[in-house]
Amino acid sequence: MSRFDKIFYTIVISLSIYVTVGFKLIPYVVEDQLVKNLDKTLTLKSHVKKVDFNPFTFHAKIHDFRLGDYEKPTVSFEEFALDFGGFKSLFNLHVNVENVSLKNAFIDVVQQKDGTINLTKLLKEKKEEPKKQEETKSENDIKFLVSKISLIDS
């Protein structure tokens, strides 16, 4: 096998691993961790129909998210899309989100007889007392930039 063949096969195998991880593994992990962490933190169950990620364009979508009862959710949206600026993020050393769009978002706010609303009891109560932390500014803070936010039929 010549040197050119080794380089060619290395590039092809690397590209196929990148495509497989980007299109299959990342959406599976994001969906699993999103539902798992929301269910651990919130009192209501969360449902996600599908997560898409394109590793070439750095475009991510969450389809049909529902928080609460599936038939009558407290919070829901049809589609949440993020367009990451991958090259801008690399060159500027910060996370650059070029476009955030939320389609058909719905929040069901209900006022109880005692005057409270249903969203105030959304977080699970912590049994530990919060520890007092000093605010420290670190050089390791992540810089974050969002260029555009769109709410569609919300």
Side-chain angles (χ1 to χ4, degrees), residues 41-153:
T41 307
L42 303 175
T43 57
L44 300 175
K45 292 288 182 190
S46 58
H47 308 277
V48 174
K49 184 176 183 181
K50 184 179 174 186
V51 175
D52 292 329
F53 180 72
N54 186 331
F56 297 115
T57 61
F58 298 105
H59 182 77
K61 282 186 183 177
I62 299 173
H63 298 278
D64 198 22
F65 174 81
R66 297 180 187 277
L67 187 60
D69 185 29
Y70 192 79
E71 296 298 323
K72 189 176 182 237
T74 303
V75 177
S76 68
F77 56 80
E78 186 177 309
E79 181 180 281
F80 177 74
L82 289 169
D83 288 324
F84 292 100
F87 293 114
K88 287 184 182 178
S89 295
L90 285 174
F91 293 130
N92 298 331
L93 298 176
H94 63 74
V95 177
N96 185 357
V97 179
E98 293 182 0
N99 189 15
V100 177
S101 65
L102 188 59
K103 185 176 181 183
N104 292 337
F106 174 77
I107 300 175
D108 186 21
V109 179
V110 178
Q111 185 175 8
Q112 307 296 332
K113 291 181 182 180
D114 62 354
T116 62
I117 60 172
N118 60 342
L119 298 178
T120 59
K121 297 178 183 173
L122 198 57
L123 291 174
K124 289 183 179 177
E125 293 183 22
K126 288 189 174 185
K127 297 178 182 175
E128 303 173 8
E129 290 189 25
K131 296 178 181 177
K132 194 173 187 179
Q133 295 180 351
E134 295 179 20
E135 287 189 33
T136 58
K137 190 161 187 167
S138 172
E139 293 296 323
N140 296 331
D141 291 342
I142 297 174
K143 296 179 182 175
F144 197 81
L145 173 67
V146 177
S147 299
K148 181 181 177 186
I149 299 176
S150 303
L151 296 174
I152 305 165
D153 294 333

